[in-house]
Amino acid sequence: MTRQKKSQFVLTALLLMLVTILSACSKSDTGSNSNAAPSASGDAESQDPITLRLSEWGSPDEVAAYKVAIKKFEAKFPNVKVDLQHIATDYDTKLTTMVAGNDVPDVAMMESGTIAFPLAEQGKFYNLQEFLDSDPDINVDKLVPNIMYSLEPGNVIGIGPGPESFGLFYNEDIFKEAGISPPPAKASEAWTWDEFVDVAKQLTVDTKGRTAKDADFDSKNIKQYGVNASTWWGAYSNFIYSNGGDFISEDGKTFALNQPEAVEALQKVSDLMNVHHVSPSPVQAKNIPATNVALQTKKVAMAIDGQWASAALAQSKFNFNVGVLPVLKEPVTTVVAGMFSIFKSTKHPQEAWELLKALLDPESSIDMITAGTWMPSYKDWYTDPALLAKWTENLDARPSAYKEAIIDVLLTKSHQTPTGYVKNFNKIMDIVNPALDKVWLGQQTAQEAMDSIAAKAQEQVQGRRDIAQ
């Protein structure tokens, strides 16, 4: 190589090094700005445009509530825009396909029993406990019980926008006409199971006007049922927990629906249909309309349902109220809720967290809350008189007994949904549900049915999420 060529080579190399250094500095500066987290006060350190994708399901009213939350969020963070993706049908399937194709939203609504935990076990979600530990506006103590979902203790994968619990809804006029005292509102005064059955018998009437307490009552021609007791796990779980039972043992090692406490509760629900004839069986229930219509038209006098039924009941324009569920051993209500999760693939985790917080804000969903569909996620909306009044007073969806029968029980007697702590819940229930169908139809006792599938269900038991493994 000649000296001239060598000099040209050295000069060219030096120029290339300089360009590389300058380029790296430029990229470093741009990257730190575009991914800068908002400060604790909520002011973003960067004004670079950001787009967050949010996927969810829900009714038109629920979507409207999300849009309100998004509008407030975007006003607070002008450089951030939210792309709302409403997936009305086959949500789990479509989202799973999106994840497989690396087409992942930043924040997504999740259902605990189906899609959330399988994705969490693949490491797809942020641990929200890290955000909760450092955020000045929100922490575990500020949230109502049982709306956080954890893969394991200390690893929070999702937070629900609000709790949903259960109550005993009823038609006030039916009770007045029968001269019977309505269901108690206070947990301390809750009916025993036998008291509940006795009232249900008095309010179950055949086509000739005879009640289920009459010797010649015709159970094959019932005009009005005393109660509609749903046969999905969310409803009957209340009574399993009330009786001291569970879906899985305390140490997470053993299938527990064949144990005495759970079996007794399941049998009592079955007896409402097949022994006392005060509740429609699954076959008869096909002719029973939704809770609001069933109570309004006096097809049933009482209904075990989630508090979300309040919205449709209010729109039906008749005299309804709600009492606390009957008790086996202790008053209990199961809390069920969807959750919002943040995908680890997001390029803007702090902004995604701020969006999640906006979705939890009761002020954003106040229309849904006052309508009766939702309940607030923040505890002070239950304990602060002014905030409590905003969503419980002078509203058709919040009858006179609502605060005691729903709110007080939720705050003091609630139990997490089994989907939140029972590993492999859906596969266990895929085995349990067909067996329970025979119980609801009176073809087998609860003990026989649960014993018959216990070994097979045991094969699916993988432990609990609420204890360290």
Side-chain angles (χ1 to χ4, degrees):
M1 179 182 291
T2 65
R3 178 175 295 185
Q4 183 179 7
K5 289 182 178 179
K6 184 175 181 181
S7 298
Q8 289 176 344
F9 177 82
V10 171
L11 179 60
T12 301
L14 288 172
L15 287 172
L16 287 172
M17 289 176 62
L18 180 60
V19 169
T20 300
I21 293 170
L22 290 173
S23 176
C25 291
S26 175
K27 288 181 179 179
S28 176
D29 291 343
T30 301
S32 64
N33 285 337
S34 64
N35 290 305
S39 66
S41 64
D43 296 327
E45 295 174 0
S46 167
Q47 294 304 312
D48 292 343
I50 291 172
T51 297
L52 296 175
R53 290 172 57 196
L54 166 65
S55 67
E56 47 75 28
W57 70 81
S59 66
D61 288 343
E62 289 173 311
V63 175
Y66 298 141
K67 289 180 177 179
V68 171
I70 290 169
K71 184 176 180 180
K72 290 184 177 181
F73 170 77
E74 291 178 339
K76 185 175 182 180
F77 301 98
N79 64 309
V80 185
K81 298 300 178 185
V82 178
D83 177 12
L84 178 64
Q85 298 179 315
H86 175 59
I87 303 175
T89 59
D90 298 325
Y91 184 89
D92 288 1
T93 300
K94 292 176 181 177
L95 189 61
T96 300
T97 302
M98 290 165 63
V99 172
N102 292 320
D103 181 27
V104 185
D106 298 273
V107 179
M109 194 155 201
M110 292 285 158
E111 206 286 316
S112 59
T114 55
I115 190 172
F117 285 111
L119 288 177
E121 288 165 355
Q122 297 173 31
K124 298 295 186 182
F125 299 135
Y126 265 101
N127 180 359
L128 301 184
Q129 188 64 54
E130 298 172 6
F131 296 95
L132 290 165
D133 288 342
S134 60
D135 196 293
D137 302 321
I138 180 175
N139 56 52
V140 174
D141 292 335
K142 289 185 178 181
L143 297 170
V144 292
N146 299 310
I147 62 169
M148 293 196 310
Y149 294 85
S150 298
L151 183 64
E152 58 190 6
N155 187 354
V156 179
I157 66 165
I159 302 175
E164 294 289 1
S165 61
F166 291 83
L168 186 61
F169 293 89
Y170 62 95
N171 184 316
E172 288 187 313
D173 293 337
I174 291 177
F175 278 84
K176 290 178 182 177
E177 291 166 5
I180 299 172
S181 298
K186 295 180 179 180
S188 60
E189 301 174 359
W191 281 334
T192 64
W193 190 265
D194 289 343
E195 290 171 333
F196 165 61
V197 170
D198 185 70
V199 172
K201 285 182 176 181
Q202 296 178 60
L203 297 176
T204 300
V205 184
D206 67 17
T207 52
K208 292 186 178 181
R210 298 166 298 200
T211 74
K213 291 179 72 78
D214 294 330
D216 54 352
F217 170 72
D218 184 0
S219 63
K220 295 183 179 180
N221 291 284
I222 296 175
K223 177 182 178 181
Q224 173 182 288
Y225 286 95
V227 64
N228 190 7
S230 175
T231 55
W232 76 288
W233 61 260
Y236 66 70
S237 67
N238 292 278
F239 307 117
I240 290 176
Y241 296 140
S242 175
N243 206 37
D246 207 331
F247 290 74
I248 194 171
S249 63
E250 190 173 351
D251 62 6
K253 296 180 179 180
T254 309
F255 175 69
L257 287 182
N258 66 334
Q259 297 303 302
E261 297 84 359
V263 164
E264 182 181 17
L266 293 170
Q267 189 62 54
K268 285 183 179 297
V269 174
S270 174
D271 288 350
L272 293 176
M273 308 165 200
N274 302 298
V275 175
H276 308 302
H277 305 291
V278 297
S279 178
S281 70
V283 174
Q284 296 163 329
K286 293 179 180 179
N287 297 318
I288 301 295
T291 292
N292 62 316
V293 178
L295 289 178
Q296 182 186 31
T297 58
K298 300 183 179 181
K299 296 289 186 183
V300 300
M302 300 177 285
I304 297 167
D305 209 338
Q307 82 82 38
W308 57 84
S310 301
L313 286 164
Q315 295 172 6
S316 297
K317 302 298 181 183
F318 73 100
N319 297 321
F320 81 95
N321 216 319
V322 61
V324 68
L325 294 172
V327 168
L328 292 174
K329 292 179 181 176
E330 296 290 337
V332 175
T333 185
T334 303
V335 174
V336 296
M339 71 178 87
F340 284 110
S341 302
I342 299 176
F343 276 94
K344 273 188 178 178
S345 55
T346 181
K347 295 180 180 179
H348 311 287
Q350 190 63 41
E351 287 86 353
W353 169 247
E354 293 293 337
L355 174 58
L356 190 151
K357 285 168 57 181
L359 294 166
L360 299 182
D361 183 4
E363 289 288 0
S364 298
S365 56
I366 190 65
D367 289 343
M368 290 293 291
I369 292 172
T370 55
T373 305
W374 287 359
M375 300 174 76
S377 57
Y378 283 87
K379 194 180 296 182
D380 59 356
W381 279 68
Y382 298 78
T383 57
D384 182 298
L387 292 174
L388 181 62
K390 291 180 69 170
W391 65 281
T392 60
E393 293 186 4
N394 302 315
L395 295 169
D396 291 339
R398 307 303 184 194
S400 60
Y402 183 87
K403 290 181 183 178
E404 291 178 319
I406 298 295
I407 292 177
D408 289 353
V409 177
L410 170 71
L411 292 178
T412 62
K413 304 292 184 181
S414 63
H415 195 290
Q416 187 183 26
T417 169
T419 63
Y421 66 90
V422 178
K423 291 184 177 181
N424 217 29
F425 179 80
N426 272 18
K427 290 187 178 180
I428 293 173
M429 296 309 291
D430 284 344
I431 298 168
V432 169
N433 288 331
L436 281 180
D437 286 342
K438 297 178 181 179
V439 178
W440 309 140
L441 293 173
Q443 297 170 352
Q444 284 189 330
T445 67
Q447 190 72 67
E448 291 170 342
M450 292 300 94
D451 282 346
S452 71
I453 52 91
K456 191 174 180 180
Q458 181 62 41
E459 293 175 358
Q460 298 298 328
V461 172
Q462 296 181 359
R464 297 175 67 114
R465 302 188 187 280
D466 54 355
I467 59 175
Q469 298 296 308

